[in-house]
């Protein structure tokens, strides 16, 4: 699924946990590792990084460190482009006094501009996180079949226990409003048909995919997709949320200022943004 994974590092208290997390991913996906640091390279920092890599058993032959100076977002994106990175791993921050996480300005810009998929870890651990309960956004978009495919592939590799695909009924309020003058039975039938249409959409995608031994649930909501995704992740105590970004359609340019801004401001769990 990934041939090269990158980690953007800063020499903060979380650096060891992030290295431990990314090392596990490198083993699971059998990839090369690229570490990107934007800042001045000094013998002290180089020695500290070498010690951390040795402590966690990172393969020197499959690990490369890139040191760049300049604006963080520009340099990280440039490094990913130059090194043909498939997945960029980054950390989120906990809000002051709250058990919620958010992406700062730099994090948001990296997500929008990265040429590859991005995995945001809300609470990296030295003993590494698990991705046992995965939620995939199944809202009907051009990129959705690809998102579901990659979400299932990721879930199989990390051995997830449960995968839920949450689908949104587009214009649910309008469609139900149109049916409001019908009888109660007709309204109920309209609602059932809308739900079934979304289930059929996902099942048709799944017919062409290898889901292995994964347990898959299809859920349908009539609410705003970003809000409902966050609520569903919290309700099911999900470890990972998978959404998509089709750069050709300027997906983030259309949705980021509204739905995704809200999602990234209070991340419900780890977030994988799949890009083609």
């Amino acid at each position: 699924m990934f041939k090269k994974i990158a980690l953007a590092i800063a020499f903060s208290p979380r650096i060891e946990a992030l290295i431990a997390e990314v090392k596990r991913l490198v083993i699971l996906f059998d990839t090369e590792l690229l570490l990107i640091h934007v800042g001045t390279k000094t013998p002290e920092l180089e020695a500290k990084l070498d010690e951390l890599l040795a402590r966690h058993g990172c393969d020197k032959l499959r690990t490369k460190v890139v040191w760049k100076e300049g604006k963080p977002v520009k340099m990280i994106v440039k490094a990913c482009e130059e090194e043909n990175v498939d997945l960029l791993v980054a950390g989120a921050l906990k809000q002051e006094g709250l058990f919620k996480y958010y992406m700062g300005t730099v994090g948001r810009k990296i997500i929008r501009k990265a040429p590859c998929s991005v995995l945001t870890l809300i609470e990296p651990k030295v003993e590494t996180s698990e991705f046992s309960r995965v939620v995939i956004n199944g809202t009907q978009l051009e990129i959705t079949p690809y998102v579901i495919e990659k979400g299932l592939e990721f879930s199989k590799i990390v051995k997830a226990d449960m995968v839920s695909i949450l689908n949104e009924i587009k214009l649910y309020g309008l469609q139900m409003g149109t049916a409001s003058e019908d009888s109660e039975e007709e309204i109920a039938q309209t609602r059932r048909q809308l739900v079934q249409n979304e289930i059929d959409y996902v099942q048709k995608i799944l017919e062409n995919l290898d889901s292995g031994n994964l347990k898959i649930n299809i859920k349908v909501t009539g609410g705003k997709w970003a809000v409902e995704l966050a609520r569903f992740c919290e309700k099911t105590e999900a470890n990972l949320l998978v959404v998509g970004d089709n750069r050709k359609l300027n997906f983030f340019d259309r949705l980021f200022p509204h739905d995704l801004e809200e999602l990234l401001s209070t991340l419900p769990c780890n977030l994988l943004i799949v890009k083609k």
Side-chain angles (χ1 to χ4, degrees):
M1 183 174 180
F2 304 120
K3 295 181 180 179
K4 185 176 289 187
I5 295 177
L7 172 65
I9 59 171
F11 287 88
S12 68
R14 297 195 305 167
I15 184 173
E16 183 170 6
L18 284 167
I19 288 176
E21 294 276 18
V22 81
K23 188 238 180 172
R24 176 191 177 226
L25 293 172
V26 164
I27 292 174
L28 284 172
F29 290 91
D30 189 23
T31 72
E32 297 178 26
L33 173 61
L34 178 72
L35 298 176
I36 307 168
H37 176 69
V38 181
T40 303
K41 179 180 179 180
T42 68
E44 292 77 17
L45 291 180
E46 193 171 17
K48 181 177 180 179
L49 184 57
D50 287 343
E51 191 273 328
L52 285 170
L53 293 176
R55 186 188 308 169
H56 290 279
C58 294
D59 187 346
K60 288 187 176 181
L61 297 178
R62 304 192 72 183
T63 303
K64 180 178 179 180
V65 182
V66 173
W67 302 78
K68 289 185 174 291
E69 294 190 31
K71 295 182 178 180
V73 175
K74 183 178 181 179
M75 292 299 102
I76 290 170
V77 170
K78 183 178 180 181
C80 289
E81 291 173 339
E82 293 174 345
E83 299 289 338
N84 296 314
V85 170
D86 302 297
L87 176 68
L88 174 63
V89 180
L93 299 173
K94 182 181 288 188
Q95 287 182 323
E96 190 71 28
L98 297 174
F99 292 103
K100 292 189 176 181
Y101 300 81
Y102 70 99
M103 292 299 294
T105 302
V106 171
R108 286 179 172 85
K109 288 182 179 178
I110 288 174
I111 285 176
R112 295 180 72 177
K113 297 182 179 181
C116 57
S117 297
V118 181
L119 174 63
T120 299
L121 300 174
I122 61 172
E123 194 170 10
K125 304 181 179 100
V126 173
E127 62 271 23
T128 71
S129 302
E130 62 175 16
F131 302 106
S132 58
R133 297 178 298 279
V134 179
V135 176
I136 301 173
N137 179 29
T139 299
Q140 292 194 37
L141 298 167
E142 185 175 324
I143 196 175
T144 297
Y146 183 77
V147 173
I148 293 176
E149 176 187 355
K150 294 304 174 183
L152 294 183
E153 191 173 348
F154 189 99
S155 298
K156 286 192 296 182
I157 292 172
V158 301
K159 295 181 171 56
D161 295 325
M162 178 63 68
V163 176
S164 299
I165 301 175
L166 187 66
N167 210 4
E168 172 204 5
I169 301 175
K170 289 183 175 296
L171 303 176
Y172 177 75
L174 178 61
Q175 294 191 70
M176 292 308 299
T178 302
S180 63
E181 295 183 3
D182 296 334
S183 67
E184 289 186 9
E185 177 56 35
E186 288 173 326
I187 292 174
Q189 178 59 34
T190 297
R191 184 181 293 108
R192 286 194 293 269
Q193 187 59 55
L194 291 174
V195 170
Q196 190 59 50
N197 289 343
E198 299 304 323
I199 293 175
D200 292 344
Y201 168 76
V202 174
Q203 287 181 333
K204 187 174 181 181
I205 294 173
L206 293 177
E207 287 175 359
N208 300 314
L209 300 177
D210 177 12
S211 58
N213 297 319
L214 292 174
K215 297 178 181 178
I216 302 175
N217 285 331
I218 302 173
K219 301 293 183 180
V220 178
T221 176
K224 194 175 180 182
W225 75 264
V227 174
E228 293 302 322
L229 280 171
R231 287 176 180 169
F232 186 77
C233 287
E234 291 174 350
K235 180 181 178 181
T236 59
E237 298 182 336
N239 312 115
L240 180 69
L241 170 60
V242 183
V243 301
D245 169 20
N246 190 332
R247 294 171 62 83
K248 293 181 180 179
L249 295 179
N250 295 317
F251 178 77
F252 273 89
D253 289 339
R254 286 191 288 112
L255 296 180
F256 195 95
H258 306 292
D259 296 333
L260 284 175
E261 179 68 22
E262 185 170 359
L263 188 62
L264 293 175
S265 295
T266 54
L267 289 177
C269 59
N270 300 310
L271 178 68
L272 173 61
I273 299 177
V274 176
K275 300 189 183 188
K276 277 192 173 182

